[in-house]
Amino acid sequence: MKALGIAVGGVPMLCSTVRIRNRRFCVSFSSSSGPKTAGVAGTKSGYKPGVFDDLFLNLFRNKLVQEVGWDSKKAGYDGLIEVANRLMMKGTTNSHTIEATVRILRSLFPPFLLELYKMLIAPIGGGKVAAIMVARVTALTCQWLMGPCKVNSVDLPDGTSCSSGVYVERCKYLEESKCVGICINTCKFPTQTFFKDHMGVPLLMEPNFADYSCQFKFGVLPPLSEDGTVLKEPCLEACPIASQRKIAARTIGVTACPKT
């Protein structure tokens, strides 16, 4: 929870094979390298739902519920966040959570559509045409999940620039979940994997845990060292799972986060 359709960070998401194995990871907003309250303070995403937003939300939530086997009693976005949290807790490893999210993203599309896009559209113009297309579709269809966003220009590996970026001003999914683990394992990594493996479009997502913004870079592969860097990101002070961990630590001496 995470492009063309709906992204769990926007539907489509990540890079070839995610190398997060046997590590449980859940983090929250309290990065030691940046302002600890910048993300919590300030105005929440001001996006106003559009005509199709409820349709997108319900479609995505239904697929998420099918994967998890459980649904929240809460309606709307609050319920979606609870189901995403349950998905995090259900997976025995981060890899399992990422794989489950990729399955959800794939299920949002008609059979063969992804294969055709990867085979026919992705190779055009060295991949730039496909990258530009998914950037525009993401900005148009995923604001219900992420909040206000806009297409922008990003630098590509060949030294050129291209309007294949999407800048999310203040990610609603991260802000409402208050958990870096949910952002990373149900949005960033699976979204990157989804686009690269199933649509043929490389994607690098760069969430900012200080101000909740996020930069999508379609046409750019994530660096090989990305996994280790992201996994060092500390929990946010507002993370509900981190709060539960602190209570448990005081009562029964439990200090490990369930997602590390």
Side-chain angles (χ1 to χ4, degrees):
M1 128 120 280
K2 325 29 204 289
L4 181 62
I6 322 168
V8 156
V11 171
M13 317 174 197
L14 167 91
C15 91
S16 349
T17 35
V18 182
R19 300 183 180 176
I20 305 187
R21 303 183 183 90
N22 304 320
R23 297 191 64 176
R24 304 291 287 156
F25 180 66
C26 179
V27 246
S28 300
F29 305 103
S30 67
S31 172
S32 57
S33 60
K36 294 187 178 182
T37 58
V40 179
T43 306
K44 283 192 173 185
S45 170
Y47 176 69
K48 296 181 179 180
V51 177
F52 296 105
D53 286 358
D54 284 342
L55 176 64
F56 289 150
L57 188 153
N58 290 331
L59 173 63
F60 183 72
R61 177 170 174 169
N62 288 339
K63 297 295 185 179
L64 187 58
V65 167
Q66 290 175 25
E67 179 68 37
V68 175
W70 176 88
D71 196 4
S72 169
K73 294 181 179 180
K74 293 183 179 180
Y77 205 93
D78 290 341
L80 174 70
I81 293 299
E82 284 201 348
V83 182
N85 185 65
R86 182 64 64 95
L87 176 65
M88 277 282 291
M89 302 308 297
K90 179 183 179 182
T92 55
T93 67
N94 285 336
S95 293
H96 290 161
T97 301
I98 292 166
E99 291 166 5
T101 306
V102 172
R103 285 196 297 271
I104 293 169
L105 295 176
R106 291 186 62 189
S107 72
L108 293 167
F109 295 84
F112 307 116
L113 177 61
L114 298 177
E115 289 81 359
L116 289 172
Y117 191 90
K118 183 177 181 179
M119 184 169 51
L120 301 177
I121 306 298
I124 299 175
K128 288 186 179 180
V129 171
I132 291 172
M133 287 177 64
V134 293
R136 278 155 178 69
V137 173
T138 298
L140 286 172
T141 64
C142 297
Q143 295 195 49
W144 67 270
L145 180 66
M146 305 182 297
C149 58
K150 60 184 178 182
V151 173
N152 64 357
S153 180
V154 297
D155 294 329
L156 300 180
D158 63 3
T160 64
S161 60
C162 181
S163 297
S164 60
V166 175
Y167 180 71
V168 183
E169 298 173 9
R170 188 177 178 89
C171 181
K172 183 178 180 181
Y173 191 66
L174 175 59
E175 185 172 25
E176 295 297 330
S177 67
K178 300 178 178 65
C179 179
V180 175
I182 287 180
C183 168
I184 296 302
N185 295 314
T186 72
C187 185
K188 175 181 164 60
F189 284 145
T191 301
Q192 292 179 168
T193 298
F194 173 82
F195 276 112
K196 175 61 172 60
D197 292 355
H198 301 290
M199 296 191 72
V201 181
L203 168 63
L204 172 62
M205 293 171 64
E206 298 178 329
N208 184 320
F209 299 114
D211 64 7
Y212 298 3
S213 65
C214 186
Q215 176 67 59
F216 285 62
K217 295 181 177 180
F218 291 102
V220 179
L221 279 169
L224 295 177
S225 61
E226 180 186 40
D227 293 354
T229 301
V230 171
L231 287 172
K232 293 178 182 178
E233 188 69 33
C235 278
L236 303 171
E237 293 294 346
C239 178
I241 297 178
S243 300
Q244 294 172 15
R245 181 188 60 187
K246 291 178 181 178
I247 295 174
R250 290 196 297 267
T251 57
I252 58 176
V254 175
T255 57
C257 178
K259 304 310 288 182
T260 37

